[in-house]
Amino acid sequence: MQANEGSGTVRLMVNGVITQVLLDPDRSLLDVLRDELDVTGPKPGCGEGVCGACTVLLDGEPIRSCRTAVAAVDGRGVLTIEGLAPPGELHPVQQAFLEHGAFQCGYCTPGMILSAVALHEATADPGDESIRAALEGNICRCGTYRRILAAVSDGSPDTESVRGVDSVDVPSIDLDRRPRAPWDLTPTNERDWFDVLPDGLVVVVEADRSGGWSTTSGAWLHVGGDGIVTAFTGKVDAGQDNRTGLSVILAEALELPLSHVRLVMGDTDLCPYDMGTFGSRSTPDAGRELRALGRATRDRLEELAKTLDVVGDRIGDMVRGLRRIDVAARPRDRDSAPESAPAPPPDARRLTGPSIVTGSRRYPSDVVRPGMRHGMVLRPPAADATLRSVELDAVADDHVTVVQEGAFIGVVARTPTEARRALARAKSVWDLLETPREADLEAHLRANPIDEEGWEGRFDQATGDVDAALASANVRLEATYTTAFIAHVPMETRAAVAEWNDDERLTIWTGTQVPFGVREEVAGALAIPEAAVRIIVPDFGGGFGGKHAGPVAIEAARLARAAGNPVKVRWTREDEFRHGYSRPAAVIDIEAGATRDGRLTGWRMTNLNAGTFGLEGPYEVPDQRLVYQPADAPLRQGSYRGLAATANHFARESAMDELAVALEIDALELRLAHLEDERLAAVLKAAAGRIESTRERERGTGIGFAGGIEKDAYVATAVELQVDGDRRVRLTRIVTAFDCGRIVNPDALTNQIEGAMSMGLGGALFEAVHFDAGGVLTNASLSDYRVPRITDVPPVEVILLDRPDLPSAGAGETPIIALAPAIANAIFAATSVRLRDMPLIPSGRLPD
Ligand code: FES
């Protein structure tokens, strides 16, 4: 193909199709592919070419399209994930990713697959080390590295290309029509069900609080004449694959194949109210509701079959032409788990897989609406800084609209490049808050306790006389443990597309874990009724607790209202660091006392700033006091996978190890001697037993373990590592034993646990948000903020302890809590160095 040099245009071949675009020296190939050609397989991730999400092949070579000027590809061939295999077929690497389930949210997957394809083209049968080296530039924040390694290893191009399966992760019915008002805000008998849904049967199970606290309010579904059951849930899928897990539960309750079930998730006009997808509550709450709904529907269909005299498997025939709404009684056994847990169908993983490996899945940042423009917002150098002055005269031009509403200033343009260029012409001066530097953090938190209301307020619980118990103890431990602020770093940054309709109603597509909360936020910020706002949450690229609020949705809505067009706003990676929020830093003091023969007698634990989750431990100690004291944090902070449980378990499980050393008692024995909880004892024995029962250890090798209970699930993690002569630590093995009651989908569960191990390594070893006075972050980019890469992750073994007789607890968070103390304990075993601050080894080397 010939270049178009000097013509003012660039000619390139994208996935075999020759195309011509305008030459703009500032435009990247990524922007052109996504925003001009609507080729959305390449993803924006970091903007500096270090995360690999935007990887494409340029004449066969993997390149970062975000750092490649479109002018540089004149006359050349670009291959994206969409062009890797003919329609309906998969490249062997895509097939291998699908078979290994080598993804969670899938946002990194197109880039990962293309890097792997390039490796296979360059190297026949690459070994693990070659694969790790080739993929080191591709980040998977969900941490599916073990599976990626296996998939790339199996994805040889010699394998015959195979036909893929159709994606089924979209509703089978057209849901573009909006109801008169959101169904969760409308009484059941007033909902305009069949103005939106096709003919059929609607079954509703009303909310019921008698079973205790729940994030989910009731459930409903539609049975269509095509025999497909479409259920509605306010939960969302950020990569934890609860779309598959909840579908399995529903299909099982309906006694239907998985292929007959669809889920509509996170659409606030159509779904039952849900507080949010957090706290590992999807399976316990939405799963319970969908199970009850499925059973009630099964009963209804059986009754219908009798009256209509049709056999039970012709569901479509039974409901065709009906417009019937049944409010079903909740089956009485709603809280009990079935006596046996049937294995999930073998194709369970594939519900979300095909669209991920082919790049056809549309994430919030991929949504395009007719006439859509791109918005960008003027932001301060630190969150919560205030605007002192701004000059905007040079910003607007024929294609750029400037929007100013009080302190909110943004621009709307035809492309992100135009918007970025325009905003760069604004001159602004900001006043920073007076907040401490990072070096003064511990002293600041100690000196600045604050009052908080509600469940985030001070907690102080005492049993017995802890002062007396500590004073009379034969062996005492006093230690302080700290954890740093860390960032969520979902691979997909916050994004929203807002569209106003003629009737002053608003629709926003965005990635959030709390769609109904964002609906309320948007309505409040724009002073419109909540019922006028529809939030739609496509499956999105990771949250980890970081997408609980709706600022990007509000920004897009404001800009769209002012511009008179649908507007997309996508936060840059720097925005994500500076204007999101972090996991709270923690300062935790522990005082513990024991008798000489190893009985714990006194325990005092005080957590400053992080929170109460995991503060109450599993060990039996007669005299103890547990305190949580909120403090004046210098950075914005909020939810994060595991919340404070990671910090509290790090402190407690490190302290238990320190006590075992001081008492000269085996650390597992000390724990078991103070445990009445048989389930925690079982996971501890399983993990410790597996790692102890292997080969002889070399010099400089240490093992450590830790355990805990969180969100009704039980975890124990054991770690083996080596410390070399240069005092560098290399993890060689992680074993995690996990019990979350009845297992619904073992593959998805294992994937979550493996991912938590990978993600947890970052916070344990090297991740920290660094900041200066005024809350100005000093490492707000992925080249400065290190997250785990494929070369950081050792082999991970997962032991699942199934409890089919017990209700399922969630598994998104708990697995992460025991990793850091297990590593700290293993480092002590190898070196006698006790590390009490997370991250443990920020420089990569142990202190001398
Ligand atoms: Fe890799 Fe989510 S699957 S970032």
Side-chain angles (χ1 to χ4, degrees):
M1 185 181 48
Q2 289 224 314
N4 256 9
E5 244 169 287
S7 69
T9 61
V10 171
R11 182 184 295 181
L12 66 163
M13 186 185 289
V14 177
N15 298 329
V17 177
I18 295 177
T19 187
Q20 196 153 301
V21 297
L22 282 178
L23 177 62
D24 178 338
D26 290 345
R27 273 192 108 179
S28 69
L29 174 60
L30 180 67
D31 279 359
V32 169
L33 288 171
R34 291 177 56 82
D35 301 318
E36 191 160 334
L37 306 179
D38 198 27
V39 175
T40 56
K43 306 293 185 199
C46 63
E48 52 180 344
V50 298
C51 80
C54 67
T55 301
V56 300
L57 301 186
L58 183 63
D59 293 337
E61 290 296 316
I63 59 154
R64 306 299 189 234
S65 59
C66 76
R67 300 295 290 171
T68 304
V70 69
V73 301
D74 194 13
R76 304 183 70 181
V78 176
L79 184 71
T80 74
I81 192 80
E82 291 93 337
L84 194 55
E89 292 185 24
L90 298 176
H91 183 281
V93 175
Q94 290 172 305
Q95 182 68 27
F97 268 66
L98 192 59
E99 283 171 0
H100 284 272
F103 40 75
Q104 287 183 18
C105 75
Y107 195 81
C108 70
T109 307
M112 206 63 89
I113 287 176
L114 287 168
S115 293
V117 167
L119 171 67
H120 276 297
E121 306 245 315
T123 313
D125 284 330
D128 282 2
E129 284 319 301
S130 302
I131 296 171
R132 286 178 196 273
L135 297 187
E136 192 178 14
N138 291 74
I139 294 173
C140 175
R141 185 55 161 169
C142 299
T144 59
Y145 292 124
R146 190 195 67 74
R147 289 165 181 240
I148 290 168
L149 192 62
V152 178
S153 192
D154 278 1
S156 161
D158 298 339
T159 314
E160 203 180 320
S161 180
V162 288
R163 183 165 291 278
V165 291
D166 290 337
S167 171
V168 290
D169 62 352
V170 291
S172 61
I173 50 179
D174 171 10
L175 295 172
D176 267 1
R177 280 163 296 184
R178 290 187 69 170
R180 282 189 303 274
W183 284 343
D184 72 302
L185 300 177
T186 309
T188 303
N189 60 359
E190 292 174 24
R191 290 178 197 143
D192 45 350
W193 298 105
F194 292 108
D195 288 349
V196 177
L197 301 171
D199 290 354
L201 169 69
V202 168
V203 182
V204 180
V205 171
E206 301 281 19
D208 170 18
R209 295 294 184 207
S210 63
W213 185 82
S214 174
T215 52
T216 299
S217 297
W220 49 77
L221 59 71
H222 169 266
V223 186
D226 55 1
I228 298 294
V229 176
T230 304
F232 298 81
T233 173
K235 294 294 179 204
V236 298
D237 196 331
Q240 66 278 58
D241 201 21
N242 55 14
R243 180 177 291 282
T244 301
L246 296 174
S247 298
V248 168
I249 289 171
L250 180 66
E252 189 186 296
L254 285 161
E255 299 175 22
L256 284 176
L258 196 54
S259 56
H260 284 51
V261 169
R262 304 282 186 272
L263 274 191
V264 174
M265 306 181 76
D267 182 330
T268 60
D269 262 14
L270 303 180
C271 295
Y273 174 82
D274 190 277
M275 205 174 283
T277 304
F278 50 69
S280 297
R281 299 302 305 175
S282 292
T283 306
D285 291 350
R288 186 187 61 189
E289 296 298 291
L290 290 169
R291 183 177 290 121
L293 180 64
R295 287 177 182 165
T297 304
R298 186 71 250 161
D299 294 346
R300 277 291 191 274
L301 290 170
E302 279 172 11
E303 285 165 23
L304 210 51
K306 282 182 209 152
T307 55
L308 297 178
D309 197 24
V310 289
V311 290
D313 60 351
R314 286 165 51 200
I315 290 173
D317 294 342
M318 283 191 263
V319 302
R320 196 165 298 127
L322 282 185
R323 285 193 155 209
R324 176 167 165 168
I325 299 143
D326 280 354
V327 179
R330 185 176 290 271
R332 274 214 299 262
D333 62 344
R334 59 181 287 250
D335 287 325
S336 64
E339 284 163 15
S340 64
D347 62 344
R349 180 70 243 180
R350 297 185 176 198
L351 274 186
T352 50
S355 63
I356 289 175
V357 301
T358 58
S360 65
R361 173 185 271 198
R362 290 272 172 160
Y363 293 80
S365 48
D366 299 330
V367 170
V368 175
R369 298 297 296 173
M372 189 182 83
R373 299 282 189 268
H374 297 266
M376 211 160 267
V377 173
L378 185 68
R379 302 189 196 280
D384 301 322
T386 49
L387 186 62
R388 188 192 303 169
S389 64
V390 64
E391 282 177 36
L392 298 171
D393 296 349
V395 177
D397 65 26
D398 289 349
H399 303 299
V400 174
T401 305
V402 177
V403 181
Q404 183 166 18
E405 295 176 5
F408 174 82
I409 296 168
V411 297
V412 178
R414 295 174 300 179
T415 67
T417 310
E418 264 184 4
R420 196 165 41 241
R421 253 190 321 234
L423 207 55
R425 298 195 289 267
K427 292 189 180 135
S428 57
V429 180
W430 301 86
D431 291 320
L432 299 175
L433 292 177
E434 284 190 21
T435 56
R437 296 178 324 155
E438 188 180 357
D440 302 323
L441 178 63
E442 181 177 339
H444 175 82
L445 293 177
R446 288 190 187 283
N448 291 279
I450 60 170
D451 291 328
E452 287 275 355
E453 295 294 320
W455 66 274
E456 291 180 317
R458 181 181 163 85
F459 174 90
D460 191 338
Q461 175 185 287
T463 52
D465 186 343
V466 71
D467 288 333
L470 291 172
S472 61
N474 303 128
V475 175
R476 284 193 60 173
L477 168 76
E478 279 189 37
T480 295
Y481 305 85
T482 69
T483 64
F485 290 105
I486 64 174
H488 303 82
V489 197
M491 288 314 296
E492 183 182 34
T493 59
R494 287 162 174 79
V497 175
E499 180 176 88
W500 290 84
N501 306 116
D502 294 341
D503 57 1
E504 295 296 303
R505 294 209 291 173
L506 170 65
T507 303
I508 300 176
W509 292 260
T510 190
T512 174
Q513 293 166 254
V514 285
F516 291 87
V518 169
R519 179 178 73 181
E520 189 181 350
E521 270 186 74
V522 169
L526 277 74
I528 57 175
E530 206 175 324
V533 181
R534 180 183 193 177
I535 305 293
I536 299 176
V537 182
D539 295 356
F540 57 102
F544 316 115
K547 291 178 177 170
H548 279 202
V552 71
I554 295 168
E555 290 164 2
R558 281 192 158 141
L559 293 175
R561 182 164 65 181
N565 289 86
V567 168
K568 179 189 287 185
V569 175
R570 190 189 69 76
W571 282 22
T572 64
R573 181 57 61 185
E574 183 177 350
D575 294 340
E576 191 72 30
F577 276 109
R578 291 195 193 284
H579 302 285
Y581 52 85
S582 301
R583 185 188 75 182
V587 176
I588 300 173
D589 297 321
I590 289 184
E591 294 169 78
T595 59
R596 224 176 302 280
D597 62 354
R599 282 305 310 169
L600 293 180
T601 53
W603 181 275
R604 177 157 42 221
M605 182 165 170
T606 303
N607 176 314
L608 271 175
N609 190 56
T612 54
F613 287 90
L615 184 58
E616 291 180 73
Y619 303 114
E620 301 292 321
V621 188
D623 300 288
Q624 57 176 308
R625 185 170 179 196
L626 305 172
V627 177
Y628 162 57
Q629 176 59 58
D632 173 38
L635 299 184
R636 280 188 187 170
Q637 56 184 26
S639 292
Y640 186 96
R641 191 178 199 175
L643 296 163
T646 299
N648 285 323
H649 280 83
F650 169 59
R652 181 171 46 251
E653 288 295 285
S654 296
M656 287 298 284
D657 229 59
E658 294 199 55
L659 283 164
V661 171
L663 291 162
E664 298 180 354
I665 294 176
D666 178 82
L668 179 60
E669 269 176 40
L670 180 68
R671 287 173 170 84
L672 295 178
H674 293 84
L675 268 184
E676 286 191 355
D677 195 310
E678 176 269 325
R679 292 174 71 184
L680 182 55
V683 290
L684 278 166
K685 286 179 196 166
R690 171 80 66 91
I691 211 155
E692 285 283 14
S693 63
T694 54
R695 62 187 165 74
E696 293 260 308
R697 292 194 171 76
E698 300 157 20
R699 221 166 137 257
T701 300
I703 64 160
F705 58 87
I709 309 167
E710 181 63 17
K711 310 277 188 323
D712 301 324
Y714 296 74
V715 66
T717 298
V719 164
E720 182 185 80
L721 52 78
Q722 287 180 329
V723 180
D724 67 18
D726 202 24
R727 299 187 73 71
R728 291 186 184 279
V729 177
R730 187 171 69 87
L731 269 68
T732 50
R733 193 172 169 214
I734 297 174
V735 177
T736 287
F738 195 68
D739 164 8
C740 60
R742 178 196 175 225
I743 296 171
V744 175
N745 184 340
D747 180 68
L749 176 59
T750 305
N751 200 354
Q752 278 296 307
I753 296 167
E754 291 169 352
M757 294 304 101
S758 298
M759 188 176 187
L761 280 178
L765 294 174
F766 42 72
E767 279 184 48
V769 170
H770 297 305
F771 58 97
D772 220 327
V776 179
L777 271 53
T778 56
N779 60 341
S781 69
L782 271 177
S783 53
D784 290 327
Y785 184 96
R786 182 181 167 203
V787 298
R789 292 175 181 264
I790 197 167
T791 41
D792 292 309
V793 180
V796 175
E797 297 160 50
V798 174
I799 304 169
L800 299 181
L801 279 69
D802 192 12
R803 305 273 183 172
D805 51 323
L806 296 174
S808 304
E813 303 190 60
T814 306
I816 208 169
I817 63 176
L819 179 63
I823 295 173
N825 295 341
I827 289 172
F828 182 83
T831 63
S832 299
V833 173
R834 175 58 63 181
L835 299 176
R836 300 192 181 96
D837 302 304
M838 280 174 63
L840 298 165
I841 324 173
S843 71
R845 294 180 65 229
L846 290 174
D848 292 326

